[in-house]
Amino acid sequence: MTALILKNLRPMGGDLTGLNIVDGRFSATAPDGAEVIDCGGRILIPGMIEAHTHLDKSLLGMDWYRNEVGPRLIDKIDNEREVKVALGLDPQVQSERHAILAMSHGCTHIRSHVDVDTHHGLAGVEGVMATREKLAGMIDIEIVAFPQSGMMTRPGTVEMMDEALKLGAELVGGIDPCGMEHDPKGHLDAVFGLAEKHGKPVDIHLHERDALGWFSMEEIIDRTIALGMQGKVAISHAFCLGAVDRGYVAGLQEKLAENQIHILTTAPASAPVPAVKELKAYGILTGAGCDGIRDTWGPYGNSDMLEKAMHIGMRNNLRRDDEVELALDICTFGGAAVMGLDGYGLDIGCVADCVLVEGATLAEAVVTHAPRKLALKAGKVIARDGACVIEAP
């Protein structure tokens, strides 16, 4: 039996108390001799949930990449395929560096979209799987087989996606059925066909805006209904939900809620974003992620989901304390719900995935996002004073 007593902490910013951990879960009691950690009156929250990122892409630890890529989505996608080769990017090493950085900020779960294409084959999936195995017990990594370069536009990709799912990828990914693939029926038939064949959930990138995005979203909803996949489909980015025509968006949000289709936002500064208060009002499960960080697409990001909560707040004009707390909820309980995590939280019996944050209130913790004093995964220390307990390669 392993046991730990956390004393002098404030769960979710509440009253000062203590919590016991026995064999990786919160417990009502702890045995004599358990190790005691004084938390210094800090706030304890559940582990941060990174529900949308790209572990195989980061350039962390490599020489500075000079970005001179064109403005279109396809420019960035085509450039990245070639640059990965030119730079000799190793998806195992880069995904490990990225995951360790996330752990240093108190992240305990990651959903990563990993490229599958005819240029690199399954190298990305195999690399991230190797990292997942290496870091097992310290962070949980869920893999989405992601056809970023398209399936209809690159024959042979559907077959590689099939192999990635056989290999162990947990979800089927997709991308802009119209804007990227120019074949919404073909693309969505392939995505949902793979999901049906392998019994896997779906998580689709949808960057398309306004009416084009609405059309694609309605097609996704129709297929969700046809296959009875309610509760098993997520739409990432969903920029079209940030459109000016709120009446049309309201109709879409009603359908998303009715069919339990989840939304994952990255709260970018340069695109419309789903209105998270509306999503909450409709009962739509919403999570968040840092997307790609320090990669060929852009130089920004540090894999800190507490900072991402602040970005969500800023992009949604969340100013009241309870509104800022909603942004934090999206980066914790929301992401956990989208990923279907069992035993998440701070209640007795929950898995002891948790992190100490600085601040008098949850809102202050979000806006300051100071280095984390302590982070635990199933009761095991994974980070102290803003640094992971293991070094990146």
Side-chain angles (χ1 to χ4, degrees), residues 235-254:
I235 301 175
S236 287
H237 300 302
F239 295 154
C240 65
L241 293 182
V244 174
D245 187 343
R246 303 314 295 166
Y248 201 99
V249 169
L252 281 173
Q253 291 177 154
E254 288 177 1

Side-chain angles (χ1 to χ4, degrees), residues 159-236:
E159 290 75 16
M160 287 186 175
M161 288 281 289
D162 187 56
E163 289 302 314
L165 294 163
K166 291 177 183 176
L167 197 61
E170 285 85 2
L171 290 95
V172 185
I175 187 169
D176 298 343
C178 298
M180 180 69 188
E181 289 277 50
H182 305 285
D183 184 357
K185 182 181 185 303
H187 181 74
L188 293 175
D189 282 352
V191 167
F192 281 88
L194 288 166
E196 185 177 27
K197 176 180 177 180
H198 293 274
K200 303 285 189 180
V202 168
D203 187 340
I204 298 180
H205 279 60
L206 189 61
H207 308 95
E208 297 164 2
R209 306 185 187 190
D210 299 317
L212 189 63
W214 298 338
F215 170 79
S216 292
M217 187 171 283
E218 287 171 338
E219 290 294 304
I220 293 168
I221 293 169
D222 287 346
R223 281 164 173 76
T224 300
I225 296 169
L227 292 177
M229 289 188 64
Q230 290 85 349
K232 298 180 180 179
V233 175
I235 301 175
S236 287

Side-chain angles (χ1 to χ4, degrees), residues 33-326:
E35 180 185 355
V36 178
I37 296 178
D38 189 334
C39 298
R42 295 177 177 85
I43 295 174
L44 188 77
I45 64 173
M48 307 299 298
I49 307 297
E50 165 59 274
H52 182 104
T53 194
H54 298 267
L55 290 177
D56 58 317
K57 299 175 181 290
S58 175
L59 303 179
L60 285 167
M62 302 178 70
D63 291 339
W64 183 258
Y65 171 72
R66 183 173 179 82
N67 189 332
E68 297 177 320
V69 182
R72 300 174 303 164
L73 182 70
I74 191 64
D75 294 332
K76 296 173 178 62
I77 291 172
D78 288 346
N79 174 73
E80 184 180 57
R81 271 199 319 272
E82 302 300 328
V83 169
K84 281 181 180 177
V85 176
L87 295 179
L89 189 148
D90 183 333
Q92 189 284 310
V93 172
Q94 295 311 121
S95 60
E96 184 178 352
R97 289 171 175 169
H98 186 160
I100 287 173
L101 180 60
M103 291 161 59
S104 75
H105 297 305
C107 180
T108 57
H109 293 80
I110 293 175
R111 173 180 287 186
S112 177
H113 295 254
V114 182
D115 288 2
V116 175
D117 60 50
T118 54
H119 203 75
H120 298 279
L122 300 178
V125 171
E126 291 168 344
V128 176
M129 283 184 170
T131 289
R132 174 165 66 185
E133 182 176 353
K134 186 174 182 179
L135 299 180
M138 301 191 74
I139 191 163
D140 291 336
I141 298 173
E142 184 179 72
I143 295 173
V144 184
F146 178 44
Q148 178 175 263
S149 295
M151 290 191 284
M152 302 301 100
T153 54
R154 297 180 73 85
T157 305
V158 174
E159 290 75 16
M160 287 186 175
M161 288 281 289
D162 187 56
E163 289 302 314
L165 294 163
K166 291 177 183 176
L167 197 61
E170 285 85 2
L171 290 95
V172 185
I175 187 169
D176 298 343
C178 298
M180 180 69 188
E181 289 277 50
H182 305 285
D183 184 357
K185 182 181 185 303
H187 181 74
L188 293 175
D189 282 352
V191 167
F192 281 88
L194 288 166
E196 185 177 27
K197 176 180 177 180
H198 293 274
K200 303 285 189 180
V202 168
D203 187 340
I204 298 180
H205 279 60
L206 189 61
H207 308 95
E208 297 164 2
R209 306 185 187 190
D210 299 317
L212 189 63
W214 298 338
F215 170 79
S216 292
M217 187 171 283
E218 287 171 338
E219 290 294 304
I220 293 168
I221 293 169
D222 287 346
R223 281 164 173 76
T224 300
I225 296 169
L227 292 177
M229 289 188 64
Q230 290 85 349
K232 298 180 180 179
V233 175
I235 301 175
S236 287
H237 300 302
F239 295 154
C240 65
L241 293 182
V244 174
D245 187 343
R246 303 314 295 166
Y248 201 99
V249 169
L252 281 173
Q253 291 177 154
E254 288 177 1
K255 293 179 181 178
L256 293 172
E258 182 181 348
N259 292 288
Q260 302 171 54
I261 296 174
H262 316 317
I263 298 296
L264 293 163
T265 182
T266 59
S270 58
V273 297
V276 296
K277 289 173 68 176
E278 291 183 15
L279 297 180
K280 179 178 174 61
Y282 279 100
I284 298 169
L285 292 184
T286 305
C290 294
D291 207 4
I293 67 164
R294 313 268 185 95
D295 56 19
T296 64
W297 290 55
Y300 305 112
N302 60 5
S303 203
D304 183 353
M305 288 302 298
L306 202 57
E307 182 179 76
K308 182 54 61 176
M310 184 186 72
H311 293 162
I312 293 169
M314 294 172 70
R315 289 294 285 117
N316 284 271
N317 195 30
L318 306 181
R319 296 172 181 267
R320 292 164 46 108
D321 276 40
D322 57 339
E323 293 175 334
V324 178
E325 290 170 12
L326 168 61

